[in-house]
Amino acid sequence: MPVGRGGRRPVVEDAPAVCLLGPTATGKTELAVRLVERLPLAIVSVDSAMVYRGMDIGTAKPDAETQRRAPHRLIDIRDPEDTYSAGAFVRDARAAMREIRAAGRVPLLTGGTMMYFRALTRGLAELPPADPAVRSAIDREARRHGWPALHRRLAAVDPAAAARIAPNDAQRIQRALEVFEKSGRPISDWQATTSAEPDAAFLKLGLVAEPRAELARRIAERFEEMLRRGFVEEVAGLRARPGLDRDSPSMRAVGYAQIWDYLDGRATLEEAKRAAVTATRRLAKRQMTWLRNERDLICHNVLEGDAFAAIFTAIDADLCAAGV
């Protein structure tokens, strides 16, 4: 076990777990790695797409060298044919956090899947289990009419949920309609009552990029780099797997769906690229909305000053207070 300040063992159980939240393309991975190299932290990925094996380029998954410098838990833990939920993430994250603390370190949870952060830090609503038959029926309707049409249907039965969900957010629209059809209750009613309060304290730090035009530029440049690195070939390999199709949960990840359409001949590469960049910008906007509504969150603009120094100081102060 690492030795703490003053030569004594750190009391890591008393140190809040660190959450590093932020929209896509704000440099969370790079900053997290730098923190791990200077502080007694260990990374837990909070990303609903990085859990899948073989989805590397389009998720901006840390490469082998980065993982050597700073291992990431909860990466490559599912095949892309599998489903993964917020409930599964909470179970896996809690287990990873226990392992990290047992090793004398403090968990650093970093990523951009805000729903996972909220489920972990605020508790999780006990929703009805998934129903493959209901999901398949919803998917068929979406193929006929489009997800915006299903979003309008959701707004008629659960306006509170529809107000929080984007018209093209297929996975969340599907889940909200599934819950309503199975239970007769809106998902917003279920979510109003969460499970017991989480059994851990959290230091929540956010990364933002203002002005937004700069973030949009970063998003476009990063997608071009993904294409140069072989993103189309990556999706082609996934598309060849017999258990995957365009509506599989993993293939709804931003970028993958659009490149799949290109490979299916439903779009040119240029059209797919524009659609993917637009979808990523919308994702970033939704992530920013989550950040604005997050309690006890301290935000740092990565485009102003030294965000790393400010975040390092905040975490170091918390670790000192806990005796780590």
Side-chain angles (χ1 to χ4, degrees), residues 7 16 38 88 109 159 163-164 170 185 192 197 201 204 210 243 271 274:
R38 295 185 58 182
L109 298 120
R164 296 193 303 267
R185 283 178 58 196
E197 282 297 307
K204 292 188 283 189
E210 298 287 352
E271 288 169 341
R274 286 198 301 269

Side-chain angles (χ1 to χ4, degrees), residues 279-294:
T280 308
R281 289 174 179 170
R282 289 173 178 162
L283 170 62
K285 184 178 179 180
R286 293 195 299 273
Q287 290 168 322
M288 288 294 295
T289 299
W290 276 87
L291 291 183
R292 285 194 293 271
N293 294 323
E294 190 62 37

Side-chain angles (χ1 to χ4, degrees), residues 141-152:
E141 186 175 353
R143 284 194 291 271
R144 288 194 301 270
H145 305 293
W147 287 106
L150 270 69
H151 185 269
R152 291 191 291 274

Side-chain angles (χ1 to χ4, degrees), residues 228-292:
R228 285 192 291 270
R229 291 178 54 211
F231 185 31
V232 172
E233 291 75 14
E234 178 173 281
V235 180
L238 292 164
R239 185 168 168 268
R241 296 172 70 115
L244 281 181
D245 59 40
R246 172 64 168 76
D247 294 320
S248 297
S250 60
M251 291 300 100
R252 292 174 182 165
V254 168
Y256 287 86
Q258 290 77 21
I259 296 300
W260 191 295
D261 286 343
Y262 160 66
L263 293 170
D264 272 356
R266 293 197 293 265
T268 66
L269 181 57
E270 188 62 31
E271 288 169 341
K273 183 173 70 175
R274 286 198 301 269
V277 169
T278 297
T280 308
R281 289 174 179 170
R282 289 173 178 162
L283 170 62
K285 184 178 179 180
R286 293 195 299 273
Q287 290 168 322
M288 288 294 295
T289 299
W290 276 87
L291 291 183
R292 285 194 293 271

Side-chain angles (χ1 to χ4, degrees), residues 162-244:
R164 296 193 303 267
I165 300 174
N168 286 299
D169 192 339
Q171 190 165 358
R172 295 179 69 202
I173 294 169
Q174 180 198 60
R175 182 57 172 148
L177 288 173
E178 176 191 35
V179 167
F180 181 77
E181 292 188 16
K182 283 203 66 179
S183 68
R185 283 178 58 196
I187 195 171
S188 56
D189 285 357
W190 287 91
Q191 291 170 336
T193 304
T194 60
S195 61
E197 282 297 307
D199 56 1
F202 297 90
L203 171 64
K204 292 188 283 189
L205 304 167
L207 295 182
V208 298
E210 298 287 352
R212 288 191 189 176
E214 174 60 20
L215 181 59
R217 185 191 66 78
R218 287 186 175 199
I219 288 169
E221 286 187 354
R222 188 171 76 163
F223 195 77
E224 290 285 359
E225 177 61 21
M226 289 175 178
L227 292 176
R228 285 192 291 270
R229 291 178 54 211
F231 185 31
V232 172
E233 291 75 14
E234 178 173 281
V235 180
L238 292 164
R239 185 168 168 268
R241 296 172 70 115
L244 281 181

Side-chain angles (χ1 to χ4, degrees), residues 2-309:
V3 176
R5 294 170 175 83
R8 62 188 180 85
R9 276 187 164 189
V11 188
V12 295
E13 291 80 4
D14 297 335
V18 179
C19 296
L20 185 63
L21 299 73
T24 185
T26 49
K28 296 182 295 295
T29 297
E30 179 184 354
L31 194 150
V33 170
R34 291 175 65 191
L35 290 170
V36 165
E37 290 177 333
R38 295 185 58 182
L39 293 168
L41 305 171
I43 296 173
V44 179
S45 172
V46 188
D47 190 292
S48 60
M50 287 189 191
V51 299
Y52 293 113
R53 304 178 187 98
M55 294 175 61
D56 303 326
I57 298 172
T59 63
K61 190 178 292 179
D63 59 19
E65 172 59 20
T66 302
Q67 291 242 50
R68 185 194 63 76
R69 292 168 57 199
H72 287 53
R73 287 170 171 82
L74 305 195
I75 283 179
D76 293 333
I77 59 172
R78 293 287 190 279
D79 288 326
E81 292 85 358
D82 300 334
T83 59
Y84 195 70
S85 65
F89 166 76
V90 169
R91 291 190 295 273
D92 291 343
R94 286 175 175 168
M97 292 167 70
R98 287 192 295 270
E99 291 174 0
I100 289 167
R101 291 192 187 277
R105 292 184 173 268
V106 174
L108 170 60
L109 298 120
T110 184
T113 304
M114 305 302 178
M115 180 168 48
Y116 286 8
F117 273 115
R118 188 160 293 182
L120 181 66
T121 60
R122 295 194 190 180
L124 189 66
E126 296 292 339
L127 299 177
D131 187 318
V134 173
R135 289 191 169 188
S136 294
I138 293 170
D139 282 339
R140 288 194 297 272
E141 186 175 353
R143 284 194 291 271
R144 288 194 301 270
H145 305 293
W147 287 106
L150 270 69
H151 185 269
R152 291 191 291 274
R153 178 151 76 86
L154 175 63
V157 298
D158 190 353
R164 296 193 303 267
I165 300 174
N168 286 299
D169 192 339
Q171 190 165 358
R172 295 179 69 202
I173 294 169
Q174 180 198 60
R175 182 57 172 148
L177 288 173
E178 176 191 35
V179 167
F180 181 77
E181 292 188 16
K182 283 203 66 179
S183 68
R185 283 178 58 196
I187 195 171
S188 56
D189 285 357
W190 287 91
Q191 291 170 336
T193 304
T194 60
S195 61
E197 282 297 307
D199 56 1
F202 297 90
L203 171 64
K204 292 188 283 189
L205 304 167
L207 295 182
V208 298
E210 298 287 352
R212 288 191 189 176
E214 174 60 20
L215 181 59
R217 185 191 66 78
R218 287 186 175 199
I219 288 169
E221 286 187 354
R222 188 171 76 163
F223 195 77
E224 290 285 359
E225 177 61 21
M226 289 175 178
L227 292 176
R228 285 192 291 270
R229 291 178 54 211
F231 185 31
V232 172
E233 291 75 14
E234 178 173 281
V235 180
L238 292 164
R239 185 168 168 268
R241 296 172 70 115
L244 281 181
D245 59 40
R246 172 64 168 76
D247 294 320
S248 297
S250 60
M251 291 300 100
R252 292 174 182 165
V254 168
Y256 287 86
Q258 290 77 21
I259 296 300
W260 191 295
D261 286 343
Y262 160 66
L263 293 170
D264 272 356
R266 293 197 293 265
T268 66
L269 181 57
E270 188 62 31
E271 288 169 341
K273 183 173 70 175
R274 286 198 301 269
V277 169
T278 297
T280 308
R281 289 174 179 170
R282 289 173 178 162
L283 170 62
K285 184 178 179 180
R286 293 195 299 273
Q287 290 168 322
M288 288 294 295
T289 299
W290 276 87
L291 291 183
R292 285 194 293 271
N293 294 323
E294 190 62 37
R295 298 190 297 245
D296 304 320
L297 179 70
I298 304 167
C299 281
H300 300 270
N301 189 348
V302 297
L303 303 179
E304 290 183 358
D306 190 342
F308 172 78

